[in-house]
C-alpha cells in the first residue's frame, strides 16, 4: 500500500510540475497554434497585396504580452536592410502593416514605404 501511495504522490507532483512549466511557457512565448496561424495570415496578406512569398528571406514572430498576440517581422530578399512588421488587428478584421524599419524593428529608422509595401495613414497610429 505504501509503494502505491508513493507512486501516486510522485505522479501528482510530476503532473503539477508539467502544468506549471506549460503555463510559464504560455505566458512568455504565447500560444504556438496562434503563432502558426498569424504567420500563415501574414503570408496570405502578402500574396493578396501583390507580394511574393518566395521573396521572403526571413520571417519571425514576437509575442506581445501587452496585446496577447504576435507581431510578425518579415525581411524580404530584395530588401534585406528593411524589416516589415505585421500585426493582426481585430478592428480591421485582418493583417495590417504597422511598420517598416531599417534594421531591427523599433530600433532603426522608420520608413513609410518600401518595394514590398507601404504604410497607410491609418496604420501609422498603431505603433
Amino acid at each position: 500500500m505504501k509503494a502505491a501511495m508513493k507512486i501516486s504522490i510522485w505522479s501528482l507532483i510530476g503532473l503539477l510540475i508539467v502544468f506549471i512549466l506549460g503555463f510559464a511557457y504560455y505566458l512568455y512565448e504565447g500560444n504556438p497554434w496562434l503563432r502558426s496561424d498569424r504567420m500563415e495570415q501574414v503570408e496570405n496578406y502578402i500574396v493578396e497585396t501583390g507580394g511574393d512569398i518566395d521573396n521572403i528571406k526571413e520571417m519571425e514572430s514576437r509575442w506581445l504580452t501587452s496585446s496577447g498576440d504576435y507581431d510578425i517581422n518579415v525581411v524580404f530578399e530584395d530588401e534585406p536592410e528593411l524589416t516589415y512588421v505585421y500585426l493582426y488587428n481585430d478592428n480591421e478584421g485582418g493583417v495590417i502593416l504597422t511598420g517598416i524599419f531599417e534594421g531591427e524593428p523599433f530600433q532603426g529608422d522608420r520608413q513609410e514605404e518600401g518595394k514590398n509595401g507601404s504604410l497607410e495613414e491609418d496604420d501609422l497610429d498603431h505603433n
Side-chain angles (χ1 to χ4, degrees), residues 35 60-64 69-73 85 105-106:
R35 173 187 294 148
E60 64 182 28
S61 61
R62 185 176 63 134
W63 176 248
L64 304 172
D69 210 335
Y70 292 92
D71 68 3
I72 307 298
N73 303 323
V85 180
F106 308 104

Side-chain angles (χ1 to χ4, degrees), residues 10-116:
W10 282 109
S11 297
L12 185 61
I13 290 171
L15 285 173
L16 186 61
I17 289 171
V18 167
F19 177 76
I20 291 170
L21 290 175
F23 185 71
Y25 176 85
Y26 185 83
L27 283 178
Y28 292 105
E29 293 295 324
N31 182 334
W33 292 284
L34 181 60
R35 173 187 294 148
S36 174
D37 225 25
R38 293 300 187 237
M39 292 182 99
E40 185 178 325
Q41 289 168 331
V42 167
E43 286 179 348
N44 291 339
Y45 175 83
I46 290 169
V47 169
E48 289 169 8
T49 56
D52 180 11
I53 59 171
D54 292 332
N55 188 29
I56 296 174
K57 177 180 180 181
E58 187 177 313
M59 180 184 243
E60 64 182 28
S61 61
R62 185 176 63 134
W63 176 248
L64 304 172
T65 55
S66 59
S67 68
D69 210 335
Y70 292 92
D71 68 3
I72 307 298
N73 303 323
V74 178
V75 176
F76 292 95
E77 292 282 345
D78 61 349
E79 290 181 294
E81 72 282 356
L82 296 179
T83 302
Y84 288 73
V85 180
Y86 299 91
L87 184 65
Y88 185 84
N89 185 316
D90 287 325
N91 296 332
E92 299 288 326
V95 174
I96 59 171
L97 176 62
T98 61
I100 304 170
F101 298 91
E102 279 190 41
E104 292 294 315
F106 308 104
Q107 294 177 9
D109 292 333
R110 187 169 185 182
Q111 310 292 313
E112 289 190 28
E113 64 182 313
K115 293 178 189 175
N116 294 289

